[in-house]
């Protein structure tokens, strides 16, 4: 898009595109077409521009170059739409005339988009000519952010420094991909053409500024928007937004237009539409590329031993396995709480520890699912919590595993915890199974030590070990905070959480049980670590709304700004509680899907409905 361009800079842009096109063609033939849209409203300038371009065609042999004159200075979005509407390409690059793509940029873009068909818009790593990184991935703008960035004095910006840093996603690692970027840079946007045309290009109501925030938000409703650090560009950036009052007025008009369309005064309105879309994309990709699932879980004569069988997760796992005609032996502490029936037998062991003799329980067992654990406690009372966690979660686990290996057990499935990875993720950078573990509390540390011991034992004995790290599990009979949340909703209490923009992963009990059952027999699961979630991340406000709908009691949410919530929590000494509410924790289950061909069989709304029905029936 051109408006009275500096021709020397434009020539650098074109030559950079030529080199990137040449490199991209090394991977295979590509048809590359470039259209320059002249928005200058000057016939003489347009003619000179055409002559100038004609003289430089020979320097761009890998591109077919066109010059298009717009019907006037119609604005950035309308000018781009002149080309978008007629495009017949696979991919579409929108680039500023003062931006220089790196030689590898187009090749890396094509590779990423072809490997990730769910991605509709790729945003690159942007650097200045001095080599300084520009932090141009941003979160949804609010009226407060617009004012602070455009009109506030430096001292006020300093006071709101944490707010501005969060907007600019400075909590993210810009050397890693960032998923579902809400506000990508408009200086260089790599679109999948089908997605760009589906959302009908740029909103023509924006003349200049915030059209990139708008199109990024609409793209998220139908596809993923991903920052890819391997795609690098250099921007000869000159911020002219506030150079004159006329340019300021254009910015104000565009900002108000964006705000009327999307809302958000102090906090952006949480939008879970793209999380639902991401979940549906994940299901479609699993169906296309996933490995085939085994039909029979295990031979009828083989026994699956389940520890912690009378717990919240254990009961569901035993029921799921029994429904698949598995012979299940459940280890429980209180025989009377579970009855043996069908292909399910109970074995009562009143006390289990690092010295327990498991020989009777392991007799004839093919696989072990180890759920028994000392769980994370909100109010810890032990004098040495880490020692207590190690006693149960490490020593007991390794004792059982060693005896299992000696008894000829084929596979040991250990239910660990996402706390092995850590407690918090920046929005858009989820934990994955290959991340370096970073537990921060005794429970997470003990689970990691158990994992390490099991993998060492597997290498020593040949026992197949499978490690599953679930996020927070919910389902019929859930207790603790999830139970309290449903109680608040059912009572109709107004909750000041309507503006929380965080993202959290959850896993339905039925989905986790299904994954565990699959790991009993799938040959590719051996000696692997998998993360478990529903494949759809929710904001806390989104979770409350959808749980309220499942309960038939609409959530009464007040959009209190996050900064006000944090300030109030500080005054009453509840910073830790508010921190847990405001923080994000996302996980990436792409490895679980890819290796096992697994797709969560129950979607979030159905799982919430089942959870809510049980909650109502129980009279809780």
């Amino acid at each position: 898009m051109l408006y009275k361009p500096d021709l020397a800079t434009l020539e650098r842009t074109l030559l950079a595109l030529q080199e990137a096109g040449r490199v991209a063609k090394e991977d295979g033939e590509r048809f590359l077409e470039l259209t320059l849209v002249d928005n200058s409203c000057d016939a003489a300038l347009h003619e000179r521009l055409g002559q100038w371009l004609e003289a430089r065609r020979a320097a761009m042999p890998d591109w077919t170059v066109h010059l298009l004159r717009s019907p006037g200075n119609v604005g950035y979005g309308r000018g781009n739409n002149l080309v978008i509407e007629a495009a017949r390409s696979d991919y579409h690059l929108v680039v500023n005339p003062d931006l220089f793509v790196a030689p590898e940029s187009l090749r890396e873009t094509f590779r990423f988009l072809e490997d990730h068909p769910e991605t509709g818009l790729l945003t690159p790593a942007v650097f200045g000519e001095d080599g300084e990184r520009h932090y141009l991935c941003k979160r949804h703008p609010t009226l407060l952010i617009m004012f602070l960035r455009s009109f506030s004095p430096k001292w006020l910006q300093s006071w709101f420094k944490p707010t501005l840093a969060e907007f600019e996603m400075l909590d993210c690692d810009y050397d890693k991909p960032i998923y579902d970027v809400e506000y990508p840079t408009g200086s260089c946007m790599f679109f999948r053409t089908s997605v760009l045309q589906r959302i009908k290009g740029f909103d023509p109501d924006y003349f200049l500024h915030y059209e990139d925030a708008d199109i990024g938000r609409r793209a998220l409703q139908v596809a993923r928007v991903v920052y890819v650090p391997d795609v690098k560009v250099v921007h000869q950036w000159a911020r002219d937004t506030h150079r004159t009052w006329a340019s300021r007025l254009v910015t104000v008009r565009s900002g108000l237009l964006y705000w009327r369309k999307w809302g958000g005064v102090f906090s952006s309105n949480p939008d879970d539409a793209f999380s639902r879309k991401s979940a549906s994309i994940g299901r479609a990709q699993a169906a296309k590329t996933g490995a085939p699932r085994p039909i029979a879980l295990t031979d009828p004569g083989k026994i699956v031993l389940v520890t912690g069988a009378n717990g919240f997760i254990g009961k569901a796992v035993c029921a799921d396995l029994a429904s698949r005609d598995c012979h299940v032996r459940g280890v429980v502490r209180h025989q009377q709480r579970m009855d043996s029936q069908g292909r399910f037998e109970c074995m009562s062991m009143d006390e289990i520890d690092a010295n327990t003799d498991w020989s009777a329980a392991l007799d004839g067992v093919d696989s072990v699912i180890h759920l028994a654990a000392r769980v994370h406690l909100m109010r810890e009372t032990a004098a040495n919590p880490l020692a207590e966690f190690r006693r149960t979660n490490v020593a007991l686990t390794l004792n059982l595993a060693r005896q299992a290996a000696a008894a000829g057990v084929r596979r040991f499935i250990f239910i660990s915890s996402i706390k092995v990875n850590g407690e918090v993720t920046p929005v858009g950078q989820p934990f994955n199974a290959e991340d370096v573990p970073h537990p921060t509390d005794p429970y997470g540390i003990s689970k990691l030590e158990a994992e390490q011991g099991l993998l060492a034992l597997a290498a020593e004995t040949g026992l197949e070990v499978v490690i599953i790290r679930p996020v927070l599990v919910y389902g019929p009979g859930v207790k603790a905070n999830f139970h309290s949340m449903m109680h608040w909703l059912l009572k109709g209490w107004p909750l000041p959480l309507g503006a929380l923009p965080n993202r959290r992963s959850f896993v339905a009990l039925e989905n986790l049980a299904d994954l565990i059952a699959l790991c009993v027999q799938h040959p590719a699961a051996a000696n692997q670590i998998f993360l478990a979630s529903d494949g759809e991340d929710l904001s806390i406000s989104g979770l409350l709304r959808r749980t309220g709908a499942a309960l038939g009691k609409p959530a009464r949410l007040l959009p209190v700004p996050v900064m006000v919530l944090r300030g109030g929590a500080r005054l009453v000494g509840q910073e830790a509680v508010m921190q847990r509410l405001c923080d994000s924790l996302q996980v990436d289950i792409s490895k679980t899907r890819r290796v096992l061909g697994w797709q969560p069989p129950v979607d979030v709304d159905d799982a919430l409905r089942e959870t809510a029905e049980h909650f109502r029936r129980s009279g809780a």
Side-chain angles (χ1 to χ4, degrees), residues 17 19 109 184 263 418 439 524 555 583:
L17 284 169
E19 178 61 12
T109 296
I418 196 59
D583 283 342

Side-chain angles (χ1 to χ4, degrees), residues 94 108 117 150 183 188 228 253 259 262 264 295 323 330 343 362 391 421 472 509 534 560 564 566 579 607:
V94 175
E108 293 300 325
S150 300
Y183 181 175
C188 185
V228 180
R253 179 189 177 280
W259 176 70
W262 298 105
I295 297 173
S323 73
R343 297 184 63 78
L362 291 169
R391 195 186 327 277
N421 288 71
L472 189 149
L509 183 59
D534 290 331
V560 178
V564 175
R566 291 186 187 276
Q579 190 73 23

